[in-house]
Amino acid sequence: MRVMVVGGGGREHAICWKLAQSPKVTELYCAPGNAGIADVAECIGVGAEDIEGICKAAEKKKIDLAVIGPEVPLAMGIVDELEKLGIKVFGPNKKCSQLEASKSFTKAFLARHNIPTAGYKEFTDKQELLDSVGLYGYPMVLKADGLAAGKGVVIPENEEDAVKAIEEMMGDKVFGSAADKIVVEEFLTGVEASMLCFVDENTIVPMESAQDYKRVFDNDKGPNTGGMGTYSPSLLFTPELEKQIREQILEPTLKGFQEDGLDFKGVLFIGLMLSDDGPKVIEFNNRFGDPETQSVLARLDSDLLDIFLAVTENRLADIEIKWKNERAVCVVLASGGYPGSYEKGKLITGLDDVDDDVIVFHAGTKFAPMPEGSKCADCSDDCDMKKAAVLTSGGRVLGVTALGATHEEARAKAYENLKRINFEGAQYRNDIGIINRH
């Protein structure tokens, strides 16, 4: 089977890495891919948001199955366009993708189907919002309604900071048009957790759990990021809690999809707050989380292609998904300054020095420009592009992922190997996978 993965980050590297292990995958492509993905798939020089270009490449390569990684092309309707060409697609269509593309759409869905979540109110007028500062007290949760690369949430601690945040979001447009509407939510206390689920029109199946670390610095200090690391399974998920989540959140969500005509097929990422009042939904995403995917797929024992096909064909209930007993820890190595401004193009060293059983997923990397006359990514099979130097090209650069019999073993292995890799300004958290921190 000829498969194309759309995207070029750590999530897509993990997906390609796992798909490459399937004996049923005869050709594997990734658009646009990155320096790490090039080890397991043929990278195509088409951007993930170039819908027309992706469709043309899929036709040219005679793709049987497309797997969509990032949220933006999903929101743009890439699934709908590929399906028009007769290509099977793993990922929700444009209508379903509103669950991530619009915070207000999701909040209304949750309220309509009595799914536990924080109280909220929507604002499109800056002055009206300024007049309502502190309506749920402090900290005050401000969410850009649209897509903001995982960074559209601001949680000011007092009135002064709240006013400043509102001016930046709606006045200065720091998140662009994503903050034309702002959702203000009640601040929930507890521990954040996440759950990834495979979903087709009839079934929702949770994957093994993962624990994410959003803040950039140790001990959950500093601004939010797209994620600085994960471990799996999360020790927060007891059998009792999983039962509660299934009954109060998963089953009502699937029923809500059916009642609202949302023929969701793909991955539903559920951000949760484990509060004293029980689990509550913070957000829905329409795709694999990043970096949760790295630690979760490292533990998947089943053929990922079989799961993707079952979802696209609405027979998810007919297959058994198996997981490894080993624990996984993924530590993100990020550019200096992230999640603020940072420099790109830093030479990465030590990638060949990691242990064979440690996986280095590339999130923001690229090959250095090769000398004139050298071969490139589009050359024949004997292309020597992989011998080129690897440079940083994003905020989150690498996800060093290790498996172990225990969380502690996996954690020690991940950090030991991470320290063998270096680039100028590299930063990472030192507390990923420390279980007692919760």
Side-chain angles (χ1 to χ4, degrees):
M1 178 165 278
R2 302 167 72 86
V3 181
M4 175 188 286
V5 176
V6 175
R11 165 185 50 229
E12 289 77 31
H13 190 180
I15 293 170
C16 288
W17 170 82
K18 191 62 185 176
L19 283 173
Q21 299 170 25
S22 173
K24 300 169 186 174
V25 175
T26 56
E27 300 287 342
L28 182 59
Y29 304 93
C30 189
N34 61 37
I37 293 173
D39 286 335
V40 293
E42 180 182 330
C43 294
I44 301 172
V46 180
E49 297 171 24
D50 180 358
I51 308 301
E52 182 179 356
I54 294 291
C55 289
K56 287 182 178 178
E59 284 190 297
K60 180 180 179 181
K61 299 290 187 181
K62 295 181 171 58
I63 296 301
D64 300 301
L65 172 71
V67 180
I68 314 303
E71 62 273 23
V72 174
L74 287 170
M76 294 171 66
I78 190 172
V79 172
D80 310 67
E81 297 306 311
L82 286 166
E83 286 182 340
K84 288 177 184 177
L85 302 175
I87 298 171
K88 292 181 179 179
V89 189
F90 181 85
N93 59 28
K94 187 173 184 178
K95 181 179 180 182
C96 294
S97 292
Q98 293 176 90
L99 289 161
E100 180 169 3
S102 171
K103 301 292 190 300
S104 59
F105 181 90
T106 295
K107 296 298 288 190
F109 173 88
L110 295 169
R112 187 163 56 249
H113 298 288
N114 298 309
I115 298 168
T117 189
Y120 78 104
K121 188 173 181 180
E122 302 169 16
F123 294 87
T124 55
D125 182 81
K126 184 180 74 171
Q127 190 57 50
E128 183 183 354
L129 176 51
L130 289 170
D131 292 341
S132 301
V133 162
L135 75 162
Y136 292 115
Y138 296 97
M140 184 178 181
V141 181
L142 302 168
K143 291 185 176 181
D145 181 61
L147 296 174
K151 303 178 185 69
V153 180
V154 182
I155 307 177
E157 298 283 345
N158 52 55
E159 181 177 349
E160 181 181 354
D161 289 345
V163 169
K164 179 182 177 183
I166 293 166
E167 290 288 356
E168 289 176 346
M169 294 173 77
M170 299 192 88
D172 300 338
K173 300 290 185 182
V174 293
F175 299 125
S177 61
D180 287 349
K181 179 189 290 186
I182 286 181
V183 175
V184 178
E185 289 190 8
E186 166 194 12
F187 181 79
L188 298 177
T189 58
V191 178
E192 286 192 44
S194 54
M195 178 173 280
L196 295 166
C197 301
F198 291 114
V199 185
D200 69 11
E201 293 178 20
N202 308 307
T203 311
I204 183 166
V205 178
M207 303 181 208
E208 284 285 278
S209 59
Q211 185 65 34
D212 187 19
Y213 295 71
K214 287 292 188 189
R215 301 280 186 169
V216 69
F217 301 129
D218 291 358
N219 301 312
D220 294 331
K221 303 296 184 182
N224 273 328
T225 71
M228 293 297 291
T230 59
Y231 72 86
S232 175
S234 170
L235 297 187
L236 300 173
F237 283 80
T238 63
E240 294 76 18
L241 177 60
E242 289 178 349
K243 181 175 183 289
Q244 194 175 12
I245 292 172
R246 172 166 288 280
E247 293 176 350
Q248 297 181 11
I249 296 173
L250 301 189
E251 292 174 1
T253 294
L254 181 63
K255 185 179 179 182
F257 287 170
Q258 294 166 343
E259 291 177 355
D260 291 0
L262 297 172
D263 50 344
F264 195 105
K265 289 191 285 189
V267 168
L268 181 68
F269 172 105
I270 305 175
L272 298 165
M273 179 65 75
L274 307 182
S275 70
D276 292 338
D277 298 327
K280 295 186 179 183
V281 175
I282 300 174
E283 64 177 350
F284 280 157
N285 292 335
N286 301 313
R287 33 74 190 184
F288 280 104
D290 190 346
E292 290 91 344
T293 306
Q294 287 87 311
S295 57
V296 170
L297 288 189
R299 299 184 56 235
L300 179 63
D301 211 21
S302 297
D303 188 322
L304 185 58
L305 178 66
D306 288 343
I307 300 172
F308 285 168
L309 291 175
V311 168
T312 63
E313 297 166 5
N314 281 319
R315 50 179 182 82
L316 181 58
D318 299 334
I319 66 169
E320 180 184 5
I321 301 175
K322 297 180 180 179
W323 301 91
K324 299 175 182 177
N325 289 324
E326 290 175 292
R327 276 45 183 151
V329 171
C330 171
V331 184
V332 169
L333 198 56
S335 296
Y338 175 78
S341 60
Y342 54 85
E343 294 182 353
K344 301 179 182 180
K346 304 299 183 182
L347 178 66
I348 304 172
T349 60
L351 290 171
D352 295 330
D353 297 333
V354 301
D355 295 337
D356 291 340
D357 60 346
V358 171
I359 316 151
V360 180
F361 292 118
H362 290 228
T365 67
K366 66 178 182 179
F367 288 109
M370 298 190 70
E372 187 175 349
S374 298
K375 297 175 182 178
C376 69
D378 295 323
C379 291
S380 59
D381 291 338
D382 64 349
C383 178
D384 60 2
M385 70 170 287
K386 294 174 187 176
K387 299 176 184 177
V390 177
L391 308 179
T392 66
S393 66
R396 289 180 295 168
V397 178
L398 303 168
V400 181
T401 305
L403 293 169
T406 64
H407 285 282
E408 291 74 16
E409 180 183 323
R411 181 178 185 276
K413 189 183 297 184
Y415 274 102
E416 178 187 347
N417 281 269
L418 176 144
K419 292 173 183 176
R420 302 174 191 174
I421 304 169
N422 190 42
F423 55 87
E424 183 184 340
Q427 64 167 329
Y428 58 90
R429 283 182 58 157
N430 295 283
D431 59 350
I432 305 299
I434 295 179
I435 310 304
N436 61 10
R437 64 182 289 276
H438 298 299

